[in-house]
Amino acid sequence: MKLSLGIVGLPNVGKSTLFNALTKQQVLAENYPFATIDPNVGVVAVHDERINKIAEVVKPNKTVSATVEFVDIAGLVKGAAEGAGLGNKFLANIRETNAIVHLVRAFNDGNITHVENGIDPKRDIELINIELILKDLDSVKNKIGSMAAKAKFDQKLKQAVTHLEELYKHLEEGKLAVDFPMPKDEDVKYERRNIFLLTDKPVIYLVNATEDQFEESYKMVKEIVGDKDVITMDIKLEAELGEMDDGDRDEFMKDLGLEMTGLEKLTMEAYKLLGLISYFTAGVQEVRAWTIKKGENAKQAARAIHNDISDNFIAADVTSWDAFVELGGWVKVKDGGKLRLEGKEYIVADGDVVLFKHNG
């Protein structure tokens, strides 16, 4: 499945610098609002040592990692819901993403202006959330209006309208849609999801701070956002790491005591937040990582490769990635008794190496 994350935040908080570090694409990163006029989209390979170890065994013609699509969206300002700044253009771009990376500035730098004239994470978070909520209020109101007449003669639509009216009141209180329980009824749930509310998306709060600020800024933002995910990152440092060659970067990280980059942590957190896992296929032509929802069975997981494989599924050879690497490939895994033949209801585990059998 496609994983897309939208990077949002006020102007000059580090969005374009983060995007550059992620993708090594040099989009404009200037010291004034709206340096990014149109959303910049970058597809980034997911760092996963497991696929590299599998490839060392198979020695395939090519290795294809899982990917994350990052969308760098122009800075939001007060009044965006009414069209201020880039307004509706900004908000429409968020709808296309699976989750939001809400970038919060905690670092002080007199050379980089702040659109609100001062560093205040609480104010900044609330400002952006309110703009998103205002847009969602408009969307919910319009949806209720479009359903009202038909709902008089359709019990399911009536239930959906009732749910949306309660959701509207929740949003009016300045609360995010994601914090309002999703309805149990599938038809009602469909109507809510079909609005694609901005604040119904999972959020990772990414705090841009220097290393000496990590602990303090993490606690500060955590107190503001409660049970939402929070990550601290020195984005300037990440950008510098991105410009190094692999050897220099590894040595530099070792000196700093870093086991993985902040960008790798961000990707891992996104997988966790969205309930995603990776499984692998391994052949001479290609070793590839596939992204699926945790809890999907073998037949569902096969659809990530091709619908025909899923539709014509027979069975699947399955082993764990570490057994595959330790024993040295398919033949030795089978000889070592570590290969299992699984049916369509088998729940694929993170790190499984799978060979699908089908008659498509």
Side-chain angles (χ1 to χ4, degrees), residues 96-110:
E96 307 301 320
T97 62
N98 300 112
I100 292 173
V101 178
H102 185 150
L103 187 54
V104 182
R105 176 175 171 178
F107 70 90
N108 288 290
D109 188 332

Side-chain angles (χ1 to χ4, degrees), residues 260-279:
M260 65 175 69
T261 68
L263 303 179
E264 291 164 0
K265 290 180 182 178
L266 175 58
T267 303
M268 289 179 60
E269 196 65 28
Y271 265 67
K272 178 182 174 183
L273 178 67
L274 294 170
L276 303 177
I277 62 171
S278 294
Y279 75 86

Side-chain angles (χ1 to χ4, degrees), residues 180-238:
F180 189 75
M182 192 65 70
K184 294 181 180 179
D185 185 278
E186 289 300 322
D187 293 324
V188 178
K189 186 183 296 184
Y190 170 81
E191 296 295 344
R192 170 169 165 178
R193 285 180 170 167
N194 202 37
I195 311 176
F196 301 103
L197 296 176
L198 304 174
T199 66
D200 229 352
K201 294 181 181 294
V203 182
I204 298 172
Y205 288 90
L206 178 60
V207 186
N208 188 7
T210 53
E211 188 175 1
D212 61 313
Q213 296 175 306
F214 279 1
E215 185 174 353
E216 178 185 355
S217 58
Y218 175 87
K219 289 180 179 177
M220 181 193 310
V221 174
K222 195 67 177 173
E223 287 178 3
I224 299 167
V225 304
D227 61 356
K228 305 294 189 301
D229 288 6
V230 178
I231 298 176
T232 54
M233 187 187 301
D234 185 339
I235 292 176
K236 183 179 178 182
L237 173 62
E238 294 296 326

Side-chain angles (χ1 to χ4, degrees), residues 307-335:
N307 288 345
D308 286 348
I309 299 177
S310 177
D311 294 340
N312 298 285
F313 180 93
I314 298 173
D317 286 334
V318 181
T319 188
S320 64
W321 76 271
D322 49 349
F324 189 93
V325 170
E326 181 182 347
L327 296 178
W330 287 115
V331 173
K332 293 183 179 179
V333 164
K334 183 177 181 180
D335 292 344

Side-chain angles (χ1 to χ4, degrees), residues 43-148:
V43 179
V44 182
V46 175
H47 180 81
D48 190 334
E49 276 301 314
R50 298 176 300 182
I51 193 172
N52 296 329
K53 293 182 182 298
I54 293 169
E56 287 174 7
V57 172
V58 179
K59 295 179 174 53
N61 292 335
K62 65 177 179 177
T63 301
V64 183
S65 298
T67 59
V68 179
E69 180 182 271
F70 285 93
V71 183
D72 175 33
I73 306 171
L76 185 63
V77 295
K78 190 181 298 182
E82 284 75 44
L86 298 180
N88 292 330
K89 182 178 179 62
F90 167 92
L91 297 164
N93 292 328
I94 306 176
R95 296 189 191 280
E96 307 301 320
T97 62
N98 300 112
I100 292 173
V101 178
H102 185 150
L103 187 54
V104 182
R105 176 175 171 178
F107 70 90
N108 288 290
D109 188 332
N111 295 317
I112 302 177
T113 60
H114 192 292
V115 72
E116 291 294 322
N117 300 315
I119 307 302
D120 185 343
K122 185 175 188 297
R123 176 206 58 210
D124 294 353
I125 290 170
E126 290 175 349
L127 191 157
I128 287 183
N129 283 345
I130 287 299
E131 292 304 322
L132 300 182
I133 288 169
L134 287 171
K135 192 63 180 176
D136 280 351
L137 280 167
D138 188 50
S139 298
V140 174
K141 183 178 180 180
N142 290 338
K143 183 67 173 179
I144 292 173
S146 69
M147 296 171 64

Side-chain angles (χ1 to χ4, degrees), residues 11-12 16 28-37 75 111-113 115:
N12 294 347
S16 294
L28 185 62
E30 294 291 349
N31 180 27
Y32 54 84
F34 312 131
T36 309
I37 302 303
N111 295 317
I112 302 177
T113 60
V115 72

